[in-house]
Amino acid sequence: LTFTQPIRDQRAATAALAIEPAVPGRWQWTDDHTVQFVPTTALPYDAELTIKVKPGQNGARSTAGSYFENEAKLIYTTETDKLIDVDVTKQVMTLYEKGKEIRTFKVATGVPGADTPIGEFNVEYKMQTTRMTGTNVDGSHYDIPDVHWVLAFSGDYTIHGAYWRSVFGRQGSNGCVSLSDDDAKRVFDWAPEGTRVK
């Protein structure tokens, strides 16, 4: 929440804040205007949360003395439950929404010695385009410009389009999960940051 004026007493203002239904976490002030809620666990999927600012002189009051005469409410809807499941044995990616399979793509994951990480991750950040450089298992170097639709899930390991690859459905990458550019764009548009990757 960003208030239009600096807040006089952050402790009193914090006491005037509530989230319904209740979510475990804490309010953290980033400056004298802005407070954010930091949950202690992941927010529930597909949930409508109401943030309330209680009115009155003893609550959120600015340094100039202004305060809320009426309760303020903000309604926030959390993300839909989404999962990107990559089966490295079958070389397929399946997208799930609310537990239901919605789409499957052929992929190319890491070759032996440049294995794709196994485990559960989240989309850390997204980039429409980047340049990828590195060293292959055989010692050769690669420098690939204009790699599209990149979703990072574990450090340098990403899901991305591979315009230079003509065959999917078998191992072939240096550890990333690669798809055709068209399929990678579909995944990129569908999956927000934070989406689970398995």
Side-chain angles (χ1 to χ4, degrees):
L1 300 172
T2 301
F3 296 93
T4 56
Q5 298 176 16
I7 296 299
R8 177 188 295 176
D9 182 344
Q10 292 178 355
R11 183 177 293 164
T14 300
L17 301 173
I19 295 182
E20 296 176 0
V23 175
R26 63 185 170 80
W27 293 98
Q28 176 179 305
W29 289 85
T30 58
D31 58 36
D32 61 358
H33 285 78
T34 307
V35 64
Q36 64 185 16
F37 184 74
V38 181
T40 54
T41 60
L43 293 173
Y45 291 106
D46 301 307
E48 186 174 279
L49 303 176
T50 302
I51 300 171
K52 294 182 177 182
V53 182
K54 297 173 190 166
Q57 296 180 27
N58 296 326
R61 193 165 188 177
S62 76
T63 53
S66 59
Y67 58 90
F68 287 87
E69 291 183 353
N70 300 303
E71 182 177 68
K73 290 183 183 180
L74 298 165
I75 297 174
Y76 175 78
T77 303
T78 61
E79 294 284 349
T80 298
D81 183 14
K82 293 182 175 182
L83 169 67
I84 300 169
D85 183 78
V86 179
D87 186 331
V88 297
T89 61
K90 296 180 181 174
Q91 294 296 297
V92 296
M93 172 188 290
T94 305
L95 305 182
Y96 291 90
E97 192 164 324
K98 297 182 182 180
K100 294 182 181 178
E101 180 180 320
I102 62 166
R103 192 155 199 156
T104 300
F105 306 101
K106 289 184 177 181
V107 297
T109 64
V111 298
D115 303 288
T116 299
I118 303 298
E120 295 198 17
F121 311 92
N122 295 89
V123 174
E124 297 169 357
Y125 59 89
K126 297 167 51 170
M127 297 180 291
Q128 289 186 9
T129 306
T130 192
R131 176 180 216 107
M132 293 189 170
T133 60
T135 305
N136 292 307
V137 175
D138 64 7
S140 63
H141 297 280
Y142 61 89
D143 183 353
I144 307 169
D146 300 321
V147 179
H148 294 101
W149 317 121
V150 181
L151 298 92
F153 65 90
S154 180
D156 290 339
Y157 292 99
T158 66
I159 297 166
H160 62 78
Y163 60 83
W164 59 92
R165 191 177 314 286
S166 59
V167 177
F168 296 91
R170 65 181 186 208
Q171 294 174 319
S173 80
N174 201 39
C176 290
V177 179
S178 61
L179 309 104
S180 71
D181 268 3
D182 288 344
D183 290 347
K185 171 87 163 74
R186 289 183 184 98
V187 175
F188 186 93
D189 290 344
W190 177 82
E193 290 181 2
T195 299
R196 292 179 300 140
V197 179
K198 182 178 177 184

